[in-house]
Amino acid sequence: MSVMTVPPSRRASARRDRVGYLFVAPFLIVFVAMLVAPLAYAGYLSLFREQLIGGVRFAGLDNYIQALSDERLLDGVLRVSRFFLVQVPIMLGLALLFALALDSGAMWLSRVIRLGIFVPYAVPGVIAALMWSYLYGPQFGPITQLAEALGLPAPDLLSSDLMLGSVANIVTWEFTGYNMIILYAALRAIPTELYEAAAVDGAGAWRIAWSVKIPALRPALLMALIFSVIGSFQLFNEPALLQRLAPNVIDSAYTPNLYTYSLAFVSQDVNYAAAVSFLLGLVIVVVSYTVQLAVARRRR
């Protein structure tokens, strides 16, 4: 009778596989517990609906169909889309300008200026929103007091016409430094030989910035743009805190995230809130992919 034996190489390979699984097991456990399981549970909740008569029943895709025709949700999505189209170019433009200025080496006190631009990102978003709420205050804010001292009409920065711009100003103040650091780090990684070759060809500082530095920054700009897409559609802290000062301007559906929070924790409609959350996530994925695809096509 012959005995089947496993070759030593296969036994060693199986042992290496087991060791590999043991190394990645802590990550997989945390990943499944913190990301996959909550998403799966939210997806499960979104397929049900709670009624006064009959209790919780399986609703299939009814919550998603309702969300697609929910005017309050659609208004919020359109509002943050306008916010994204106006605020993000301004913020990334400022970040690029500051990064190029710091990288040029012609700026005095560059370390202090760099730190000063980055510090707002270190301020918690809630604190930043509270601070700007005080500055915007129509009754007590310093902007109103300054306008009155100059004999000028005080601007109502919390009115319905200016509210989106006021929120955009807060977000720009918070995140310009963060994006500047990303772009500045990418600039420092560009080989100096490229600058020297451009200088030998007679290119000046502006020409080098336009023809060498900015094209080399495209991957970093794309990453900052995608982060900005996600951040714009997840807008929550700033409108939620400004709502206390202007409840007639910012309602519970001013942004999709604010609407989802209101559905889940005020109206206690967790099933519909879960469906809205999944649709919002889908919108972010589609917009991010569209931006990435558009940038990739321009490169060709």
Side-chain angles (χ1 to χ4, degrees):
M1 190 174 93
S2 62
V3 178
M4 296 292 294
T5 58
V6 180
S9 60
R10 293 182 58 185
R11 285 203 301 267
S13 177
R15 191 181 306 114
R16 282 198 301 270
D17 290 344
R18 286 196 295 271
V19 172
Y21 288 133
L22 285 176
F23 271 109
V24 300
F27 164 75
L28 286 177
I29 292 171
V30 173
F31 181 74
V32 170
M34 298 297 176
L35 184 66
V36 177
L39 282 176
Y41 184 59
Y44 169 78
L45 288 177
S46 70
L47 300 177
F48 291 84
R49 178 174 290 179
E50 186 173 4
Q51 296 177 325
L52 290 176
I53 300 176
V56 178
R57 68 170 182 83
F58 182 74
L61 299 177
D62 288 353
N63 287 328
Y64 293 93
I65 295 172
Q66 179 186 343
L68 290 174
S69 59
D70 189 335
E71 292 186 358
R72 302 190 72 196
L73 175 63
L74 297 179
D75 286 345
V77 172
L78 289 176
R79 188 174 292 112
V80 295
S81 299
R82 293 201 306 271
F83 173 89
F84 166 73
L85 291 175
V86 175
Q87 187 269 335
V88 170
I90 294 174
M91 178 182 66
L92 293 184
L94 288 173
L96 177 61
L97 180 65
F98 290 139
L100 289 171
L102 290 170
D103 185 66
S104 68
M107 185 176 284
W108 288 8
L109 301 174
S110 59
R111 290 186 179 180
V112 176
I113 294 173
R114 185 175 63 196
L115 180 62
I117 298 172
F118 181 73
V119 159
Y121 178 67
V123 177
V126 174
I127 302 299
L130 287 172
M131 184 187 73
W132 281 99
S133 299
Y134 169 72
L135 296 175
Y136 290 157
Q139 305 297 330
F140 47 80
I143 296 176
T144 299
Q145 294 176 8
L146 178 63
E148 290 175 350
L150 296 175
L152 300 173
D156 187 1
L157 299 173
L158 300 178
S159 65
S160 57
D161 293 333
L162 299 179
M163 180 58 79
L164 199 59
S166 299
V167 174
N169 177 58
I170 299 175
V171 176
T172 303
W173 181 81
E174 288 179 288
F175 290 98
T176 296
Y178 169 76
N179 290 294
M180 179 203 70
I181 290 297
I182 292 176
L183 300 178
Y184 180 70
L187 282 172
R188 303 304 292 176
I190 298 174
T192 56
E193 290 81 2
L194 292 178
Y195 303 152
E196 294 169 359
V200 169
D201 289 340
W206 288 105
R207 185 66 177 173
I208 291 175
W210 181 257
S211 301
V212 178
K213 293 184 178 181
I214 293 179
L217 282 177
R218 280 178 183 165
L221 279 170
L222 176 62
M223 184 177 68
L225 184 59
I226 291 176
F227 285 166
S228 300
V229 170
I230 297 170
S232 297
F233 284 91
Q234 291 183 344
L235 197 61
F236 180 81
N237 286 340
E238 294 79 7
L241 289 169
L242 291 176
Q243 189 181 33
R244 307 296 192 276
L245 293 176
N248 295 326
V249 176
I250 297 180
D251 60 9
S252 60
Y254 193 75
T255 67
N257 250 9
L258 201 59
Y259 186 44
T260 306
Y261 173 84
S262 175
L263 286 171
F265 298 104
V266 179
S267 303
Q268 299 293 314
D269 191 354
V270 294
N271 304 106
Y272 187 49
V276 170
S277 300
F278 267 88
L279 283 179
L280 180 59
L282 182 63
V283 169
I284 292 173
V285 169
V286 170
V287 174
S288 301
Y289 182 74
T290 302
V291 169
Q292 191 171 3
L293 192 63
V295 173
R297 283 185 176 175
R298 287 196 64 182
R299 280 189 202 165
R300 295 172 186 169

